[in-house]
Structures are given as structure tokens and as C-alpha cells.
Amino acid sequence: MAPREQLEIDPRRSRVFGEVAELYDATRPGYPEPLVREVLAYAALGRRAALEVGAGTGKATVPFAAAGTPLVCIEPDERMADVLRRNTASSPQVQVEVGPFEDWLPSESRSFGLLLAATSWHWLDPERRWDLVHGALAPGGAVALFWNLQGVRDAELHAALAEVDRRHGMANAPHGEPASSFGDVPGNGGAVPGSWPDAECRRDGRFTDLRAHRFRREHHWATDRYVGHLASLSHYRVLAAEQRERLLAGTARVLDAHGGGIAMEQISDLFLARTR
């Protein structure tokens, strides 16, 4: 499938998550264990540590740490990092550092065996991110980029939610696509158009052994949790407060009228590559 047109990311959106760090942590979905196993098998870290970029509150950090992976986590927001530290308090091999990845320099260049970015790659400077990744990795080191996306299983519910979004000017809700639209190709249907990294990585030329995987799960969200999840998303956070509350209230009414929640196809797409 041809790459979709690159979306111009509003820089305000990368700085809003800390406003709702606890809500983000409580409502955001994590990543499936098979994805974690696939990454670790591919990276074959041995004694080398991993570097996580944009770690947030630890949705990916926690399962990788549970597998025994030593991690240095870079998170630009101190409020998110505070929750991350709490969530990894029982994992002494996790180190948390605060600041933008673009400003962070490893103490020993090209030392990491794995760099991972969980739903954060699209926030990095597209002009510099492959240089930064290559500079942080040891020769043969792996990069793992992955995202969660959702598809609505009920066509009638999808249509009703689409009407609410249209009325309130929301164009990129996670329930914006029916589950049937995603197909089987990793990178198809991503929430951020143009973010799938395959073409960009191939143009860079310093990486090899490119692979892609798609993992599927069924998930049911109760109304309150799903609306909380929406409230933690950047494109909802940047709305005026009154507009956001009207949109969320309308979404909740639709969900309550359809049984008090939403059944979703939870898809996790994984991209892997390694330095030559």
C-alpha cells in the first residue's frame, strides 16, 4: 500500500498529555504480550540496554521491564515522568530522564541494543529522527516502532458516533473507522496519516532487515473509560474546554444508548529494523 500523505502535526498537541497524566495512565490501552516477545526476540539484546523514546506513563515500559529489559526512558513531560517512575518503582533496571529526545545525548554514543517508541514516533522531528536513532544504537542495534489503533465492530454505532463527531468538528476520533476497514497489512489505517515508517526508513539506507507485524485483540470499553480515553487524546485536549465537554457528553449519550460501551477491534502495528 502506498504511504499516505504526511500529516502536519500541531506542536501544541505534543505538550498536552501532562495536563491529564493520571487519566492518560488509567484509560490508555497497553500493548499485547506477543508484541513485546516479538521485539525482544528480534533485538536479541543480551547484556545491552534498551532506550525508550516518549515513554509517557509506561504503557510499553512496564511489560518490557517485566521481561527483565534494562531501560533508559526519555519522557519530555515531568508530570508524565512522575507517573512513569511510580509505575516502574519495582523495576530498578528502569532509568527515567526528562526532556525532549531531540535534546538528549547518550553518555556513550551508539551503545543501545534497542530503541523503542510506543505511539510516539510521529512526535519526533522528521528531519532528525533517523539520525538520532542511528546515533543512539550500537552496530546491529534494533529499532521497534509501534502504535495502537481501534476499529468499531458495530456499524450502527459507528454511524451514530460519526454524526456526533461531524456535529462537533472532530475528524480524527479513534472510533472513526469500522473494524472491517483495516485489513491485514501493518500500517494500514493508522491514526496519524503518513506515520508508518517503512518508506522513510528505506530511503534513509542505514537500516536493514525491515519487518512488520499486526496484532489483533477484541476489547470492550465501558462508557466512562472510553470517554476518559478520548479526553486524554491530544486532538481532544487542544479543543476549547466547552467544545470538548459537549463532544464528550454527546459521545457518552450515544454509547449509553448502545448498551453502555463500545466493542472495538484493538490493533497493534509493529515496525522493526536494525542498523547495518
Side-chain angles (χ1 to χ4, degrees), residues 7-30:
L7 179 69
E8 188 70 28
I9 298 293
D10 184 343
R12 294 177 302 158
R13 289 175 50 190
S14 67
R15 299 189 292 268
V16 299
F17 300 113
E19 300 171 357
V20 287
E22 295 290 350
L23 184 64
Y24 181 108
D25 189 54
T27 63
R28 286 292 183 101

Side-chain angles (χ1 to χ4, degrees), residues 23-30 59 219-232 255 260-262 266:
L23 184 64
Y24 181 108
D25 189 54
T27 63
R28 286 292 183 101
K59 291 296 180 178
H219 186 70
H220 184 273
W221 305 69
T223 297
D224 287 350
R225 186 177 180 204
Y226 187 69
V227 170
H229 169 54
L230 297 181
S232 77
L255 296 182
I262 183 170
Q266 191 82 24

Side-chain angles (χ1 to χ4, degrees), residues 118-131:
T119 318
S120 61
W121 179 250
H122 53 284
W123 298 121
L124 302 181
D125 181 351
E127 300 298 322
R128 299 179 58 204
R129 53 193 178 193
W130 289 107
D131 288 338

Side-chain angles (χ1 to χ4, degrees), residues 71-146:
L71 285 155
V72 175
C73 300
I74 311 301
E75 168 50 45
D77 190 283
E78 181 65 57
R79 297 161 295 184
M80 300 286 277
D82 283 344
V83 181
L84 173 61
R85 293 187 187 101
R86 184 186 73 208
N87 287 341
T88 57
S90 62
S91 301
Q93 78 275 28
V94 175
Q95 174 186 339
V96 179
E97 299 189 16
V98 178
F101 179 51
E102 290 86 347
D103 296 341
W104 181 82
L105 294 175
S107 57
E108 184 180 349
S109 182
R110 296 178 61 79
S111 61
F112 290 95
L114 168 66
L115 182 144
L116 59 97
T119 318
S120 61
W121 179 250
H122 53 284
W123 298 121
L124 302 181
D125 181 351
E127 300 298 322
R128 299 179 58 204
R129 53 193 178 193
W130 289 107
D131 288 338
L132 294 166
V133 168
H134 193 266
L137 288 173
V143 55
L145 313 176
F146 44 100

Side-chain angles (χ1 to χ4, degrees), residues 162-185:
E163 174 56 27
V164 173
D165 291 342
R166 185 199 61 75
R167 202 160 59 240
H168 294 281
M170 173 54 62
N172 196 27
H175 51 257
E177 297 286 343
S180 59
S181 70
F182 289 116
D184 297 320
V185 179

Side-chain angles (χ1 to χ4, degrees), residues 208-222:
T208 187
D209 194 16
L210 278 61
R211 305 184 191 181
H213 302 273
R214 170 161 282 187
F215 303 86
R216 294 178 181 272
R217 296 171 287 168
E218 294 183 12
H219 186 70
H220 184 273
W221 305 69

